[in-house]
Amino acid sequence: MEKNLIILPSKPWPPLLIPSHSSTQLEWHGSTRALANSNSVSMTQRSHPKLVDTQLNQLCANGSLSEAVAILDSLAQQGSKVRPITFMNLLQACIDKDCILVGRELHTRIGLVRKVNPFVETKLVSMYAKCGHLDEARKVFDEMRERNLFTWSAMIGACSRDLKWEEVVELFYDMMQHGVLPDDFLLPKVLKACGKFRDIETGRLIHSLVIRGGMCSSLHVNNSILAVYAKCGEMSCAEKIFRRMDERNCVSWNVIITGYCQRGEIEQAQKYFDAMQEEGMEPGLVTWNILIASYSQLGHCDIAMDLMRKMESFGITPDVYTWTSMISGFTQKGRINEAFDLLRDMLIVGVEPNSITIASAASACASVKSLSMGSEIHSIAVKTSMVDDILIGNSLIDMYAKGGDLEAAQSIFDVMLERDVYSWNSIIGGYCQAGFCGKAHELFMKMQESDSPPNVVTWNVMITGFMQNGDEDEALNLFLRIEKDGKIKPNVASWNSLISGFLQNRQKDKALQIFRQMQFSNMAPNLVTVLTILPACTNLVAAKKVKEIHCCATRRNLVSELSVSNTFIDSYAKSGNIMYSRKVFDGLSPKDIISWNSLLSGYVLHGCSESALDLFDQMRKDGLHPSRVTLTSIISAYSHAEMVDEGKHAFSNISEEYQIRLDLEHYSAMVYLLGRSGKLAKALEFIQNMPVEPNSSVWAALLTACRIHKNFGMAIFAGEHMLELDPENIITQHLLSQAYSVCGKSWEAQKMTKLEKEKFVKMPVGQSWIEMNNMVHTFVVGDDQSIPYLDKIHSWLKRVGENVKAHISDNGLRIEEEEKENIGSVHSEKLAFAFGLIDFHHTPQILRIVKNLRMCRDCHDTAKYISLAYGCEIYLSDSNCLHHFKDGHCSCRDYW
DNA sequence: GGAACTACGT
């Protein structure tokens, strides 16, 4: 009995430190007065300690904590002893009333005690932790001389509540080293940290201790061990443990189901869900929620919805988790109206939304930029008094910012009670998005002085913002400062933002350079990197880069993502490797409509109309539903094969069969089909009977037909329409002016030339790029200085030119994008042909060339001749078409 | 001292 008593010091204790404006619920002044007048002190003077405790407990229950402390002080002045239980009760009261100030007062007094009871100190640790002062809790903990399991549990529990998973595991090891063994209440906490922190090693260690050490084997502990394996994705281990468990409850099943859901293996999850019922274990609310959330997350909203109805028929009422999962699932699918209906239904049936529900709904509004629905959410948040919740505040800022109402976003930001890094990032992102980089930067500076300094996302948002503003230097500068000024490491998204920024600003080479540096810095590219950088390589002179990136993506297992593989199908085709497209396609299982369409349009691009039509047959045999894109490709394939009737059939019948809504793409493909076969009048009639206004690509299809079939009058008609829709288009102006001259309309021709001159715009200079020996060489018309072996090239071209002339029969009048060649200035692609063919002891098998303008007839003839005479293939993509020259023929069949 | 499984945002 005696050792449980604390001998209070005889010297007086320091005065209470609580300021009068304290935010605690205590009425400090009032209590002091009450103390002076009441007989409570005298009552305690000679009372038995237990009576004092009863009295103190009562004061604590009333919230009069400071009065209780005052009594302690008066006891101290009398030299009385305070029992540890008294301190513990008082500390517990501080926890209950969340009163850190009185807690600190008690700490001061406990500190004066000569030999403190470890249970009292443990309670102190808990008090600080539960009042939200983990650092002070840790300080008390670290200074303790004697720590028992209770103490360790309090500290570990505190870290666990504060989501400090790493610290939980560290403390656990520390505890074991101090020779303190855990019990079956502590282990689940540590195991939870292992799961969160993906620390499978500690999980395994505890698992082996439990098995071999025979300690703490309870259902709770076993479930927790199971959960570590499941969270770390070790499903085969988890299954093994699950099968060996002698006792299982609903949670055990939930853990396994969650494990499979997290891996996206919903079929397996569903299997366990069915199996548990077969074994007589009823799925609980949580079980349903796990499955519903998973289906919903994976985009199967309708299945999730069915499950929600089914769970009700099982007598289980959906709770806030169920509703929230559904709302966010519909949101992510872009089915915003359904998300909204669900929210309304939820309110009608009386399930209270929480901050996560509201935040999900707000992000639904953000994604469709709907301010009207957004303000409805805002008012729900106000009505349910959740508007001060930081999560909701942040999502409202985001919603208003994305919706374009920066004032509203700013005003929410301004009145927020607390702000975190999301709040700052949302508002900064809003300003960046709207192009107010200056304002964003201002906030960025303020943020650095705030409680939540910029994180890597902030830096990335700023980089993207400057990039969008065209300020590449500042963006790059920010990137370089992340590590030094931001004291954080750039992540893969930082690199991605640079790459996509440069690409947006049409700086392909810089983007590729950054991509290379990224690999050099050992930063692993992710899916976004690959999908971003690939378009920069989808041209003939970057064919090798596509292969390189494909290798890199395969190594990182990014190709298992269908969107990535589909993009490779497309990129290989566009970079002139249709065989590789086919290989990727054949290796895919499953394929989706995009896989099929990508290969299909690849075949069309390469002029492989037969392959395209075969593929289409295969697609239909496989039961796939052609989409709008499919139909466009098919009409183009028929067009290329000059199968006009089949093309018409596809246009009207296939579109009807599959209920494909016809759009302008289909109409211009039809004009192309008719025009290509020379049915110019039919093509014009088709345009005039279109149910929608023709756009410039419809007219362009007609203009191309007129150029090839030399109908200059109709070319003028088409060109004028194009110019009406796109008056600034310099190439159209140029073609039109040529057509006027050919038709003798000199006045119009002069007008066009004048127009060109007035606007100080010139036709772009013809340029070609050729890839040789991993180098891309550029040839520009009229820039002879930079051309290697100029004399050799010119004499080579002269010789070839004579041979070409002997081969061609058609030398009539044409309208072309590039001025006719004169002596001394040769079209850039010809220079490229020459450069590619004379610089080698052996003729290269394939030349890959990119040209900025549309090839002229003469260069086209030259390429055909070279492919025959030199036995090489030439891939050349001009501004309009991919030409593949082989054996004297071109894949475009001389129509481009 | 007091445990395992579920929904969310830049």
Side-chain angles (χ1 to χ4, degrees):
Chain A
M1 196 66 179
E2 184 64 25
K3 70 176 178 188
N4 279 343
L5 292 175
I6 292 170
I7 310 298
L8 289 170
S10 54
K11 61 177 175 180
W13 285 0
L16 294 176
L17 296 169
I18 301 172
S20 57
H21 60 266
S22 149
S23 62
T24 64
Q25 292 166 339
L26 302 176
E27 287 185 17
W28 185 246
H29 296 297
S31 327
T32 317
R33 242 180 282 120
L35 190 67
N37 300 336
S38 75
N39 56 2
S40 56
V41 176
S42 58
M43 215 181 94
T44 55
Q45 270 169 1
R46 307 250 177 268
S47 297
H48 187 272
K50 276 193 179 167
L51 278 179
V52 178
D53 283 346
T54 315
Q55 189 196 4
L56 288 175
N57 284 347
Q58 237 162 19
L59 287 171
C60 289
N62 295 337
S64 313
L65 287 182
S66 45
E67 201 169 323
V69 175
I71 290 174
L72 273 194
D73 285 352
S74 71
L75 284 172
Q77 277 168 346
Q78 295 157 28
S80 301
K81 299 161 182 177
V82 175
R83 302 190 317 154
I85 185 72
T86 310
F87 273 127
M88 285 168 73
N89 286 341
L90 283 170
L91 286 168
Q92 183 60 48
C94 294
I95 295 171
D96 296 341
K97 307 281 175 200
D98 191 23
C99 184
I100 181 73
L101 293 170
V102 176
R104 287 207 183 100
E105 296 293 338
L106 286 167
H107 186 184
T108 313
R109 281 146 184 79
I110 292 166
L112 295 168
V113 174
R114 200 154 39 85
K115 188 165 179 288
V116 186
N117 180 303
F119 285 90
V120 172
E121 280 187 305
T122 298
K123 199 74 182 174
L124 255 181
V125 171
S126 293
M127 185 277 295
Y128 277 122
K130 288 190 176 159
C131 292
H133 294 260
L134 193 65
D135 44 344
E136 281 172 82
R138 184 66 200 244
K139 197 160 173 279
V140 175
F141 176 83
D142 285 341
E143 285 168 1
M144 281 172 73
R145 275 165 301 168
E146 196 186 328
R147 285 178 286 205
N148 57 28
L149 176 61
F150 286 65
T151 325
W152 288 97
S153 296
M155 194 62 231
I156 289 175
C159 293
S160 175
R161 264 191 307 277
D162 214 38
L163 314 179
K164 301 269 196 306
W165 311 117
E166 217 174 338
E167 221 171 319
V168 168
V169 175
E170 271 172 30
L171 279 163
F172 172 71
Y173 280 112
D174 211 10
M175 180 185 94
M176 298 286 278
Q177 273 187 346
H178 279 77
V180 179
L181 287 177
D183 66 359
D184 54 348
F185 275 87
L186 180 57
L187 280 186
K189 271 189 212 159
V190 180
L191 288 162
K192 183 180 182 176
C194 296
K196 294 277 181 192
F197 194 52
R198 297 288 129 93
D199 181 359
I200 187 80
E201 290 314 312
T202 308
R204 284 211 178 93
L205 177 81
I206 294 176
H207 185 198
S208 70
L209 283 174
V210 169
I211 294 175
R212 281 184 286 157
M215 66 179 210
C216 328
S217 180
S218 71
L219 183 55
H220 265 105
V221 171
N222 287 337
N223 281 342
S224 303
I225 291 171
L226 198 60
V228 177
Y229 286 105
K231 277 208 187 102
C232 296
E234 304 262 350
M235 288 314 290
S236 52
C237 286
E239 286 219 27
K240 217 184 276 172
I241 297 168
F242 181 77
R243 277 197 298 271
R244 285 182 192 161
M245 279 165 76
D246 45 11
E247 191 194 352
R248 291 193 282 240
N249 64 3
C250 187
V251 173
S252 323
W253 289 90
N254 291 350
V255 170
I256 289 286
I257 294 172
T258 307
Y260 281 116
C261 286
Q262 273 172 355
R263 291 167 59 100
E265 295 175 24
I266 190 79
E267 304 86 4
Q268 281 295 103
Q270 180 74 53
K271 235 171 77 184
Y272 272 88
F273 183 77
D274 297 338
M276 82 187 274
Q277 292 170 73
E278 277 163 29
E279 289 191 19
M281 180 71 76
E282 285 291 314
L285 172 63
V286 173
T287 323
W288 287 97
N289 282 346
I290 293 165
L291 212 61
I292 289 172
S294 186
Y295 274 115
S296 185
Q297 240 174 39
L298 291 169
H300 306 298
C301 301
D302 299 312
I303 300 178
M305 203 63 201
D306 284 343
L307 277 174
M308 184 165 157
R309 289 191 201 103
K310 208 167 155 196
M311 95 189 245
E312 283 184 279
S313 72
F314 272 63
I316 295 179
T317 314
D319 69 350
V320 63
Y321 279 85
T322 328
W323 288 99
T324 306
S325 304
M326 287 306 315
I327 291 170
S328 97
F330 277 112
T331 300
Q332 273 157 32
K333 267 266 147 175
R335 293 164 67 170
I336 307 304
N337 290 329
E338 282 148 293
F340 250 76
D341 289 344
L342 275 163
L343 178 64
R344 294 198 187 101
D345 290 348
M346 174 181 181
L347 295 171
I348 290 168
V349 300
V351 174
E352 282 275 305
N354 62 20
S355 60
I356 296 177
T357 323
I358 300 293
S360 290
S363 88
C365 305
S367 69
V368 293
K369 304 186 196 305
S370 167
L371 286 174
S372 60
M373 288 197 283
S375 47
E376 202 180 316
I377 293 297
H378 192 168
S379 63
I380 294 176
V382 174
K383 270 182 219 151
T384 51
S385 11
M386 280 196 278
V387 76
D388 287 334
D389 183 287
I390 187 160
L391 177 62
I392 291 180
N394 292 347
S395 55
L396 288 175
I397 292 176
D398 185 49
M399 182 275 295
Y400 281 119
K402 288 220 175 90
D405 191 343
L406 282 167
E407 263 178 55
Q410 180 76 57
S411 69
I412 292 181
F413 180 84
D414 289 340
V415 300
M416 280 177 104
L417 298 178
E418 51 169 348
R419 299 184 189 113
D420 65 8
V421 67
Y422 286 98
S423 332
W424 287 94
N425 289 353
S426 299
I427 190 81
I428 289 176
Y431 281 113
C432 281
Q433 201 69 46
F436 301 114
C437 275
K439 181 71 190 164
H441 196 256
E442 203 179 288
L443 281 162
F444 180 61
M445 302 300 281
K446 271 193 197 155
M447 185 180 183
Q448 293 175 25
E449 307 298 318
S450 78
D451 291 336
S452 30
N455 66 3
V456 71
V457 176
T458 324
W459 287 89
N460 295 349
V461 164
M462 288 301 303
I463 290 170
T464 309
F466 277 113
M467 278 293 191
Q468 275 170 1
N469 222 19
D471 196 341
E472 292 160 19
D473 292 341
E474 189 52 37
L476 197 58
N477 181 32
L478 276 170
F479 178 83
L480 297 172
R481 278 172 45 203
I482 297 181
E483 199 151 3
K484 206 169 133 271
D485 295 4
K487 310 263 182 270
I488 34 180
K489 285 221 172 301
N491 63 8
V492 62
S494 322
W495 288 90
N496 290 348
S497 63
L498 272 189
I499 292 173
S500 76
F502 279 124
L503 286 176
Q504 272 162 18
N505 294 329
R506 296 166 179 270
Q507 302 273 3
K508 281 189 189 180
D509 290 341
K510 281 191 185 161
L512 282 163
Q513 202 183 327
I514 298 291
F515 179 66
R516 213 165 295 130
Q517 274 181 31
M518 178 179 181
Q519 286 165 299
F520 205 67
S521 326
N522 280 328
M523 173 59 75
N526 67 3
L527 181 144
V528 177
T529 323
V530 170
L531 293 181
T532 309
I533 196 72
L534 267 177
C537 314
T538 47
N539 63 65
L540 293 173
V541 291
K544 283 182 186 160
K545 292 207 176 71
V546 179
K547 286 186 195 168
E548 234 176 82
I549 296 168
H550 194 198
C551 276
C552 157
T554 309
R555 271 204 308 276
R556 313 245 175 242
N557 196 28
L558 299 171
V559 287
S560 58
E561 198 71 38
L562 196 54
S563 60
V564 174
S565 283
N566 287 345
T567 309
F568 277 111
I569 296 178
D570 182 65
S571 296
Y572 272 128
K574 286 181 179 150
S575 62
N577 282 319
I578 189 72
M579 303 282 274
Y580 279 75
S581 299
R582 180 81 209 199
K583 271 189 201 165
V584 174
F585 177 84
D586 286 338
L588 280 186
S589 170
K591 310 169 176 38
D592 65 4
I593 182 72
I594 298 177
S595 326
W596 290 85
N597 284 347
S598 303
L599 185 59
L600 206 52
S601 58
Y603 279 138
V604 171
L605 180 71
H606 281 254
C608 308
S609 34
E610 258 179 50
S611 306
L613 294 170
D614 285 348
L615 192 71
F616 181 59
D617 280 344
Q618 189 59 48
M619 182 176 170
R620 294 225 278 179
K621 274 183 203 146
D622 281 15
L624 259 103
H625 199 112
S627 71
R628 282 156 55 198
V629 180
T630 323
L631 183 61
T632 310
S633 292
I634 289 310
I635 299 172
S636 307
Y638 282 128
S639 164
H640 184 269
E642 291 179 30
M643 295 160 78
V644 180
D645 293 335
E646 288 84 349
K648 282 183 185 164
H649 178 268
F651 179 78
S652 31
N653 297 42
I654 293 180
S655 66
E656 203 183 303
E657 186 183 341
Y658 294 100
Q659 294 179 334
I660 298 169
R661 201 168 47 80
L662 292 168
D663 62 24
L664 281 162
E665 296 278 312
H666 302 114
Y667 289 107
S668 47
M670 278 306 286
V671 174
Y672 209 81
L673 175 97
L674 296 166
R676 180 162 189 144
S677 63
K679 300 183 190 335
L680 295 183
K682 280 261 160 54
L684 184 59
E685 193 190 323
F686 181 87
I687 294 176
Q688 282 162 340
N689 290 326
M690 273 169 53
V692 284
E693 274 300 304
N695 64 358
S696 73
S697 55
V698 171
W699 289 115
L702 185 66
L703 180 59
T704 299
C706 296
R707 290 173 54 229
I708 301 289
H709 296 291
K710 300 184 182 172
N711 185 333
F712 303 110
M714 202 186 280
I716 290 176
F717 186 73
E720 284 178 342
H721 275 98
M722 282 176 77
L723 213 54
E724 235 170 68
L725 293 166
D726 183 11
E728 305 291 324
N729 192 316
I730 187 78
I731 290 178
T732 312
Q733 289 175 16
H734 181 80
L735 290 175
L736 198 50
S737 124
Q738 281 186 55
Y740 286 138
S741 324
V742 172
C743 292
K745 300 194 171 190
S746 58
W747 185 79
E748 279 91 348
Q750 274 171 17
K751 197 176 78 180
M752 292 307 299
T753 318
K754 195 164 161 259
L755 195 73
E756 286 173 42
K757 279 186 185 153
E758 267 173 11
K759 293 195 171 162
F760 298 102
V761 276
K762 277 190 198 150
M763 270 297 285
V765 177
Q767 284 190 66
S768 292
W769 297 265
I770 182 168
E771 193 263 351
M772 300 295 296
N773 296 331
N774 294 324
M775 286 264 290
V776 176
H777 303 264
T778 310
F779 293 93
V780 184
V781 169
D783 181 17
D784 288 357
Q785 260 78 41
S786 60
I787 298 171
Y789 326 112
L790 189 63
D791 294 340
K792 249 173 127 182
I793 283 180
H794 274 297
S795 58
W796 187 88
L797 279 173
K798 201 177 162 206
R799 204 170 61 241
V800 168
E802 279 155 11
N803 290 332
V804 173
K805 236 176 240 167
H807 267 79
I808 54 166
S809 48
D810 176 14
N811 214 354
L813 206 52
R814 305 186 168 275
I815 54 175
E816 312 250 29
E817 283 186 8
E818 215 168 354
E819 299 294 344
K820 217 173 166 50
E821 291 170 26
N822 48 42
I823 307 150
S825 106
V826 180
H827 283 174
S828 55
E829 61 268 49
K830 275 193 190 162
L831 296 171
F833 299 153
F835 176 78
L837 291 169
I838 62 167
D839 194 26
F840 290 89
H841 299 297
H842 61 279
T843 307
Q845 287 181 319
I846 299 180
L847 297 184
R848 294 169 181 279
I849 298 166
V850 172
K851 150 132 201 175
N852 65 336
L853 297 170
R854 204 191 293 234
M855 282 186 102
C856 73
R857 171 68 63 164
D858 184 44
C859 289
H860 198 266
D861 286 334
T862 307
K864 285 203 292 189
Y865 167 77
I866 289 171
S867 74
L868 186 64
Y870 287 77
C872 70
E873 293 176 49
I874 300 173
Y875 282 96
L876 188 150
S877 62
D878 67 13
S879 60
N880 203 51
C881 179
L882 183 117
H883 306 267
H884 177 202
F885 302 95
K886 195 182 172 185
D887 302 330
H889 298 284
C890 178
S891 60
C892 77
R893 302 195 185 174
D894 302 337
Y895 188 96
W896 72 99

